[in-house]
């Protein structure tokens, strides 16, 4: 710790400087600063994210994930995750200002040991079969397209008893939690949790979506659902008529909800799935929320502040806060995107703003 009220370092032997500069140096030495020299940076007319729009190609990253699955054991790595680091956010590394995306790989016979952290997390399964996550004693199966939640401070470990590599997208809010200096982390002590609740029970009990089990006491900040299975997501998308209007910005976009209140799945992260029909040409817009997209299937283009990102199957791309963007699907097939954002944070704090680009 530096001592408060350090003596001024000004003396008469230094380089010649103006009386004003000497005064500013004295202020700095007294841990004070002239607001008028900082005003423009601190009160910008509108947000300017340090993050840049960026696309990570799955085909480029997958071989690296496989390489480390062969050369690095899960005894030596807490989690085998390739972090998707935004070129504008390298220290500390993050994908967008408040959000993280990573690609996690686990091989047959392996396990990732039990731990918990205050950061909220989810997994969106990309490929593989036969793995599961245990969350607070409940084994939750993982299949491609499933969305699994591990809300803050829940114990979680991952086990793979199937064949071939299992790869998923991790989404976490640790950049926000750490910025708030609210990060806690704890090891469970044993490698894996004991199974104390029936496999898949939190998913099955809420699966209908409009009939909630009244005996459950876990009406907290988070959705109690362990897994939003792809089979149900696909059914929900298919139930929307082909000529339904949808969102001019996002196409047929559906939000995964917390069954207790209809709100976002976690207080800091909203998750959606969106279908962009063949020929879709989205209206441009911008909003204060940050969004990360994962291509479930298909191909298309997203233009962000004039930067064009041509995405394909399983890619991940990031749209920073307040950048103007639009989605296009000129291909002959529908495209399906999974999207997550920090929109609930902005809404809760009264900081959500949006503007249609052609207004
Ligand atoms: O699987 O628990 O990508 O703790 C980063 C931190 C995944 C996990 C990440 C984690 C995990």
């Amino acid at each position: 710790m530096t001592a408060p009220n350090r003596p001024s370092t000004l003396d008469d032997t230094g380089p010649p400087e103006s009386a004003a500069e000497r005064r500013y140096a004295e202020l700095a030495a007294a841990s004070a600063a002239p607001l008028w020299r900082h005003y423009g940076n601190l009160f910008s007319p509108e947000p300017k994210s340090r993050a840049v729009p960026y696309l990570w190609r799955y085909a480029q990253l997958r071989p690296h994930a496989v390489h480390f699955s062969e050369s690095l054991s899960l005894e030596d790595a807490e989690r085998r995750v390739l972090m998707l680091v935004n070129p504008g956010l390298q220290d500390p590394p993050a994908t967008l200002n408040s959000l993280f995306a990573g690609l996690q790989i686990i091989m047959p016979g392996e396990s990732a040991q039990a731990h918990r952290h205050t950061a909220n997390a989810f997994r969106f399964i990309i490929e593989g079969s036969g793995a599961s996550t245990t969350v607070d004693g409940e084994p939750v199966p993982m299949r491609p397209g499933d969305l699994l939640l591990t809300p803050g401070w829940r114990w979680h470990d991952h086990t793979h008893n199937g064949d071939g590599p299992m790869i998923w997208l991790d989404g976490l809010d640790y950049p926000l939690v750490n910025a708030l200096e609210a990060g806690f982390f704890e090891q469970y002590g044993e490698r894996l949790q004991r199974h104390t609740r029936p496999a898949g029970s939190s998913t099955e009990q809420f699966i209908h979506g409009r009939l909630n089990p009244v005996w459950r006491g876990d009406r907290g900040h988070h959705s109690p659902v362990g897994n939003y299975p792809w089979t149900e997501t696909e059914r929900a998308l298919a139930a929307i008529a082909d000529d339904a209007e949808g969102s001019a910005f996002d196409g047929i976009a559906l939000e995964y909800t917390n069954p207790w209140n209809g709100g976002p799945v976690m207080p800091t992260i909203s998750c959606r799935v969106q279908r962009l029909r063949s020929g879709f040409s989205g209206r441009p817009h911008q909003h204060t929320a940050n969004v990360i997209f994962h291509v479930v299937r298909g191909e298309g283009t997203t233009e962000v502040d004039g930067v064009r990102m041509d995405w394909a199957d399983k890619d991940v791309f990031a749209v920073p806060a307040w950048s103007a963007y639009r989605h296009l699907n000129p291909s002959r097939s529908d495209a399906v995107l999974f999207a997550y954002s920090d929109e609930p944070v902005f809404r809760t704090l009264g900081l959500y703003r949006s503007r249609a680009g052609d207004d």
Side-chain angles (χ1 to χ4, degrees), residues 79 81 100 104 115 117 123 156 158 170 172:
R79 293 293 189 263
V81 175
F100 165 81
Q104 180 158 175
H115 68 203
H117 34 70
R123 343 249 151 232
H156 54 285
H158 316 305
D170 281 320
L172 282 90

Side-chain angles (χ1 to χ4, degrees), residues 114-117 153 155 184-188:
H115 68 203
R116 64 178 176 178
H117 34 70
W153 216 234
W155 295 112
F184 293 82
F185 174 92
E186 205 169 56
Q187 295 289 4
Y188 186 66

